[in-house]
Amino acid sequence: PHPSKKMSDERRGQLFGLAAAEFAAHGFALASLNRIISGAGMSKSSFYHYFENKSDLFRQTLEQTLAPYLEGIETFDFDVMTPEKFWSRLQAMTDEGARMAEEKPLFLDVGRMFYRALGTPEEAALTGNIQKIATGWTSGMIQRGQALGLVRENLPESLLMNAVMAMAMATDRWFLK
């Protein structure tokens, strides 16, 4: 477990909320670690007890906040999807993400910081784990849809992946505005 898990849930939540707002508003490069730490009432030595640096804070804010949703994606069993349940199950996952965002506004700032970090290759590397999970899930969904005869097979998977990911990202960005 990450050292930040030793913080109280309340304290970690406060820090992640401030970090997400800062990263969402200014992007990774221009986000001020000093503003985040000051807003949380932390000393620098206390911060560095829990986090290696600003990049570590970014990754942990992203991954720990999205953990409940990512857990559902990572444990998703494509084999139980039948032709009758395929599209409704995908809709249910979308609804679950929206429900989480309504219940936990931090989810929205984390989404904004995620998309803002895709600007440069260095910043995009901060989101690599999340992107890997999303890409793996999307590939599994396409393959299962094809096996069920619900997703066309006469196009390369790379084209289908790009189309689905672009649509998902466009929808996310619209929702986050």
Side-chain angles (χ1 to χ4, degrees):
H2 191 269
S4 65
K5 295 274 190 163
K6 294 176 184 172
M7 299 172 82
S8 72
D9 290 343
E10 182 179 319
R11 182 99 165 125
R12 192 174 61 245
Q14 176 194 26
L15 181 63
F16 286 171
L18 291 165
E22 180 75 12
F23 290 128
H26 302 286
F28 178 78
L30 297 178
S32 168
L33 186 55
N34 288 333
R35 273 193 302 260
I36 296 167
I37 294 171
S38 174
M42 285 180 97
S43 67
K44 280 195 177 188
S45 62
S46 180
F47 172 82
Y48 285 112
H49 177 75
Y50 296 108
F51 299 92
E52 292 177 23
N53 50 35
K54 184 167 82 166
S55 297
D56 188 28
L57 175 62
F58 183 98
R59 280 190 201 95
Q60 292 307 312
T61 300
L62 186 65
E63 293 178 11
Q64 288 186 40
T65 301
L66 297 178
Y69 191 71
L70 295 175
E71 187 177 302
I73 288 174
E74 290 180 307
T75 60
F76 192 86
D77 185 4
F78 290 102
D79 293 334
V80 301
M81 293 182 78
T82 63
E84 299 78 29
K85 293 182 181 178
F86 185 81
W87 298 113
S88 62
R89 183 66 183 111
L90 293 178
Q91 179 66 49
M93 287 197 68
T94 302
D95 293 346
E96 177 67 9
R99 184 192 63 75
M100 287 179 170
E102 284 179 358
E103 290 178 3
K104 195 172 185 180
L106 173 58
F107 219 66
L108 298 174
D109 272 342
V110 167
R112 291 180 187 105
M113 72 182 248
F114 172 84
Y115 283 106
R116 181 125 192 199
L118 298 179
T120 67
E122 296 81 22
E123 291 175 336
L126 296 169
T127 65
N129 188 42
I130 304 296
Q131 291 182 60
K132 183 179 176 183
I133 292 168
T135 301
W137 186 87
T138 302
S139 176
M141 183 269 301
I142 289 170
Q143 290 171 12
R144 182 60 179 164
Q146 288 174 328
L148 295 172
L150 301 172
V151 174
R152 61 189 312 156
E153 296 182 59
N154 62 339
L155 296 173
E157 184 178 342
S158 61
L159 175 60
L160 294 172
M161 283 289 297
N162 287 339
V164 171
M165 294 300 287
M167 183 181 66
M169 290 174 74
T171 303
D172 282 353
R173 285 181 166 142
W174 176 84
F175 182 75
L176 291 169
K177 277 187 176 184

